[in-house]
Each structure stands twice: as C-alpha cells, then as structure tokens.
Amino acid sequence: MVKRNTITDIQKKYCSGEKLAVLTAYDHSVARLVDSAGIDMILVGDSLGMVVQGHNSTIPVELDHIMYHTEIVVRSTEKAFIIADMPFMSYQISHEEAIRNALTIIKKTGCNAVKIEGAGFNIPIIERLTEVGIPVMGHLGLQPQSVNILGGYPVQGREKAEAMKMIEDARKLEKAGVFSIVLEKVSSDLTAEITSMLNIPTIGIGSGSDCSGQVLVVNDMLGMDEYIKFKFVRKYADLSNVITNAVKEYISDVKEMKFPAQGESF
C-alpha cells in the first residue's frame, strides 16, 4: 500500500537538505499525473480563481470552491501531501470563524493541511489550529488576497522597513507553529536571510533559489496558457500549442469525414 507523505516526511526531507518540490493541482487528471510523478506536496491554491474560473484575481474564490477541488485532488492522489488554501473571507472576519472553516476543510476534504496568507491577526488562529492538530502553511511576501492594497503584484522586501517586518513575521509564524512558509516574489537576499534563520522549510515562488523548495502553478509550468510570461515561471512543456494543434486536427478530420474511421465505429 502506498503511504501518503506526512508532516514528519516533509520535515525529514528538509532536515536532510533535500529540496521540496510543490505544484498546484485542481482536478482529477492533473492531480493523478502530478502525484504519480513523485511530487512532494500539492497545493490546491486559490489561484484556481484565475486558472480554472477565469477571474483576474483570487478574491472571488469561495470556501466551497476550495473544498470541492481539494476533495477531488485528495481522492485522485496516493502519496503527495495535500494543502488547501484558505480563500479570502474564510479567515479574516473572526478567529472563531477562521478556526471553524479550517476544521471544516480538513474534515470534509481529507486534506493534510491548510495555508493562510499573512501574520498579524492570523497568529492566534494558527496557534489554535496547531494546538488541535491542524498543520498550517504560512505565506509571506506578495499576498494575492491583498492585491487591492498592494495595487498589483510587485516584488516584496526591497525596502528596509518592509524587509524587517517580513523577518519578524516569519519568526512569529514559526513560533505559532506553521510547518513551512511560502515566500512569494520576495527579493533573493531577503529570501536567503529568512530561510537561513528558520528551522522550517521555506517554499519559494519567484523568490530565488535559496528557499528550501519551490512551488509553481501547474498550468503555468506546463505552458497551458501562451500569454503567461512571468519571469519566475519556467515552462517545462508547451501544451498550449500541443492542445491547439490537436483540436485543429480533430476539427479538420471531422469536417473531412476522416473521423471516425471504420475501426473507431461499432
């Protein structure tokens, strides 16, 4: 029987110096393939708002959306450690509601952990969740749910005051009990400093090579969207053109009565 990765497994990999590989996934087919390839962790990110739903930010994503996709990903995988993003408004209103929502995600989807953006107000939430046995992944740097305050998606940590606050927040998150911290679009020097001072893994996205691991949106790294040209995304495939050309060939075969052939008919 295949054993699913646990917090202990993740910590062992980190302590041994092994870099952690993380990808997002939102559906059965992709989750199954990513899992079978040997990914350490899968994040069911609120990025599904942009990748799956077609919104221009993560703000519209509802708790029910995350739970729906997380349940699919858990059911479709065997080994990867599964983390569910807590979407906007699922933890900002009150500590009590945040804890209830996190517990609901874990109970109803079967995932292994939740992810929460930011520190500050969230520290008591994280402390309570870890007390009752819910692993929490932190998230610092660029926080997509704060896009309206940030005015976009700028690199974080270049100003001294901003860098000092992020260092302080990282320490607070570790003390509160997070098992890892995502660092998104953080300057490379600050990333290296934060990673070196913590005893938990940092997972980078657009934050250089000094993190303990890396995460990418799976659709981005597979080249599913030809318009995605983020500096920090390496495209390991060009599925946009592969799929477009395949569909064009299918259309042509249907119109020219080349499909279905006799061997494809009953």
Side-chain angles (χ1 to χ4, degrees):
M1 182 178 178
V2 177
K3 175 181 173 291
R4 189 176 292 278
N5 285 333
T6 65
I7 285 285
T8 302
D9 296 319
I10 299 303
Q11 187 69 18
K12 283 180 179 178
K13 289 173 186 281
Y14 162 69
C15 290
S16 72
E18 179 181 343
K19 295 289 186 177
L20 297 165
V22 188
L23 284 171
T24 65
Y26 318 100
D27 62 69
H28 168 72
S29 298
V30 172
R32 181 174 54 82
L33 290 171
V34 167
D35 186 57
S36 66
I39 203 75
D40 295 309
M41 295 185 277
I42 293 176
L43 171 64
V44 185
D46 60 1
S47 50
L48 70 87
M50 304 167 84
V51 175
V52 178
Q53 298 174 336
H55 296 297
N56 61 8
S57 77
T58 65
I59 300 297
V61 177
E62 300 283 352
L63 183 64
D64 286 347
H65 301 159
I66 288 289
M67 291 177 62
Y68 172 79
H69 287 278
T70 302
E71 192 277 329
I72 291 171
V73 170
V74 170
R75 178 162 23 95
S76 305
T77 56
E78 294 183 322
K79 188 170 183 182
F81 187 88
I82 312 296
I83 307 145
D85 241 337
M86 292 195 68
F88 185 69
M89 275 187 64
S90 68
Y91 60 95
Q92 291 94 339
I93 294 174
S94 71
H95 292 160
E96 292 75 15
E97 184 169 340
I99 292 164
R100 184 182 301 109
N101 286 336
L103 292 171
T104 300
I105 290 173
I106 295 289
K107 182 174 182 177
K108 292 192 174 181
T109 70
C111 71
N112 307 110
V114 297
K115 181 171 77 64
I116 298 177
E117 290 186 10
F121 176 85
N122 300 327
I123 296 299
I125 299 170
I126 294 166
E127 289 175 339
R128 180 59 179 152
L129 289 174
T130 55
E131 278 179 3
V132 298
I134 306 301
V136 181
M137 173 181 270
H139 186 143
L140 295 176
L142 176 65
Q143 296 167 41
Q145 292 175 18
S146 300
V147 63
N148 291 323
I149 288 180
L150 297 173
Y153 300 93
V155 175
Q156 304 292 300
R158 286 180 167 164
E159 300 297 326
K160 184 176 181 180
E162 185 181 52
M164 293 302 293
K165 184 179 186 307
M166 203 180 306
I167 289 170
E168 182 182 356
D169 284 347
R171 288 196 175 105
K172 288 179 178 177
L173 287 174
E174 181 177 31
K175 185 177 180 182
V178 299
F179 73 91
S180 67
I181 301 175
V182 169
L183 297 177
E184 182 167 359
K185 289 191 80 171
V186 176
S187 61
S188 296
D189 290 346
L190 181 56
T191 293
E193 183 174 356
I194 291 173
T195 300
S196 67
M197 76 182 195
L198 298 177
N199 294 307
I200 54 173
T202 57
I203 307 298
I205 177 166
S207 298
S209 60
D210 288 312
C211 288
S212 315
Q214 299 291 328
V215 60
L216 283 175
V217 171
V218 70
N219 296 55
D220 295 348
M221 60 84 68
L222 291 176
M224 292 284 285
D225 189 339
E226 61 183 313
Y227 300 106
I228 295 294
K229 301 184 186 297
F230 300 133
K231 178 181 179 180
F232 59 86
V233 174
R234 180 181 296 179
K235 294 191 177 183
Y236 286 83
D238 184 16
L239 295 192
S240 176
N241 283 328
V242 170
I243 292 170
T244 299
N245 291 334
V247 172
K248 285 181 177 178
E249 186 176 354
Y250 166 74
I251 292 169
S252 175
D253 284 353
V254 169
K255 293 184 179 296
E256 295 176 14
M257 299 181 66
K258 295 179 180 178
F259 175 82
Q262 186 173 355
E264 296 163 322
S265 302
F266 294 98

